[in-house]
């Protein structure tokens, strides 16, 4: 049973860099794209970007300038960095497996709450 | 503002049928991109409910069904149950300015 486990700092100050990692246990890491998706408090889902095992990346055009994703296939892990965070980046961040041509998100991590506050 | 438009809320009594619409445009659903639906219970991660417009993953009751036509898609829930009370999101792709994943704004389903 594939199970993503995610972690990272939960409290940041404005202008700092958000950093999260997701490790995939119990199943195949290659052959899929892995995404980060966030959800601000009381709001909807926003796709941040995706990466595969060989480092091929696609970002949401609206966030591209501040986002960097990376992968360590030897550990079945991938990471997210968001620079210059503001209160608008406060959200629950999920990692998720995307399968198929149009990213069917069939497996999700447990979510990490990130709060940006001075 | 979400690229895919959903009603903020819908409601129905137990046993009734409700539908949730997901309206897009010619740069997403209208282009032929498939639509997927997720159910999110309070405090939990979203769960895949319908994929590729009409397909149910293993374990999802037949009460849930999806359809797509033109620039829109719909999720129907029949025989409404109390445990169906949740937020529902549609998801597809948008081709502008480059291909990327988009979600609807979400619909809160209340079981009366």
């Amino acid at each position: 049973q594939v199970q993503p486990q995610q972690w990272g700092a939960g409290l940041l100050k404005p202008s700092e860099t958000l950093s999260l990692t997701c490790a995939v246990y119990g199943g195949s890491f290659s052959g899929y794209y892995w995404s980060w998706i966030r959800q601000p408090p009381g709001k909807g889902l926003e796709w941040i970007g995706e990466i595969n095992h060989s480092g091929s990346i696609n970002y949401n055009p609206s966030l591209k300038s501040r986002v960097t994703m990376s992968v360590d296939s030897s550990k079945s892990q991938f990471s997210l960095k968001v620079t210059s965070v503001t209160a608008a980046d406060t959200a629950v961040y999920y990692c998720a497996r995307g399968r198929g041509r149009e990213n069917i998100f069939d497996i999700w991590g447990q979510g990490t709450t990130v709060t940006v506050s001075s | 503002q979400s690229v895919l438009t959903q009603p903020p809320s819908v409601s129905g009594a137990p046993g009734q049928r409700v539908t949730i619409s997901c309206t897009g445009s010619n740069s997403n659903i209208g282009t032929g991109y498939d639509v997927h639906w997720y159910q999110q219970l309070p405090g939990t991660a979203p769960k895949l409910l319908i994929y590729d417009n009409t397909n149910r993953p293993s374990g999802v009751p037949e009460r849930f069904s999806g359809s797509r036509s033109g620039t829109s898609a719909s999720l129907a829930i029949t025989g409404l149950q109390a445990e169906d009370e949740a937020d529902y999101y549609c998801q597809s792709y948008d081709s502008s300015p480059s291909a990327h994943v988009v979600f609807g704004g979400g619909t809160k389903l209340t079981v009366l």
Side-chain angles (χ1 to χ4, degrees):
Chain A
Q1 180 77 356
V2 177
Q3 182 59 52
Q5 294 276 0
Q6 54 182 111
W7 65 88
L11 181 60
L12 297 172
K13 290 181 168 48
S15 81
E16 292 185 333
T17 296
L18 179 158
S19 182
L20 298 174
T21 298
C22 182
V24 180
Y25 301 106
S28 175
F29 184 72
S30 62
Y32 298 96
Y33 271 85
W34 297 87
S35 283
W36 290 100
I37 296 162
R38 70 181 183 179
Q39 184 172 34
K43 296 188 178 180
L45 302 167
E46 181 179 37
W47 181 73
I48 300 170
E50 64 180 357
I51 191 168
N52 71 358
H53 70 286
S54 62
S56 179
I57 295 172
N58 294 298
Y59 294 131
N60 186 326
S62 67
L63 297 168
K64 189 174 183 177
S65 63
R66 296 192 297 126
V67 171
T68 302
M69 295 178 65
S70 59
V71 65
D72 184 342
S73 296
S74 68
K75 296 181 180 178
S76 295
Q77 293 180 2
F78 61 106
S79 297
L80 170 71
K81 291 188 186 301
V82 180
T83 59
S84 304
V85 297
T86 69
D89 295 306
T90 294
V92 176
Y93 286 74
Y94 295 100
C95 59
R97 187 179 81 172
R99 68 175 172 85
R101 184 175 67 98
E102 290 161 17
N103 263 325
I104 301 164
F105 298 119
D106 60 347
I107 295 174
W108 295 66
Q110 79 274 23
T112 300
T113 299
V114 175
T115 302
V116 180
S117 175
S118 55
Chain B
Q1 189 152 348
S2 302
V3 172
L4 304 178
T5 300
Q6 298 180 233
S9 63
V10 298
S11 62
Q16 285 189 334
R17 177 181 187 269
V18 296
T19 62
I20 299 172
S21 61
C22 175
T23 303
S25 68
N26 287 325
S27 67
N28 41 70
I29 300 174
T31 297
Y33 288 123
D34 290 326
V35 177
H36 320 304
W37 290 90
Y38 301 86
Q39 177 192 60
Q40 186 177 34
L41 298 171
T44 68
K47 168 193 167 186
L48 180 65
L49 197 64
I50 297 288
Y51 67 96
D52 291 348
N53 309 309
T54 61
N55 298 303
R56 283 185 310 278
S58 173
V60 172
E62 293 182 5
R63 304 185 294 104
F64 295 91
S65 63
S67 63
R68 185 191 74 178
S69 177
T71 58
S72 296
S74 288
L75 172 71
I77 310 171
T78 58
L80 208 55
Q81 299 181 5
E83 58 260 37
D84 298 334
E85 188 161 294
D87 294 323
Y88 293 84
Y89 294 91
C90 61
Q91 176 230 323
S92 187
Y93 254 67
D94 196 280
S95 57
S96 176
S98 59
H100 64 283
V101 172
V102 289
F103 286 97
T107 299
K108 170 67 178 178
L109 168 62
T110 300
V111 181
L112 301 171

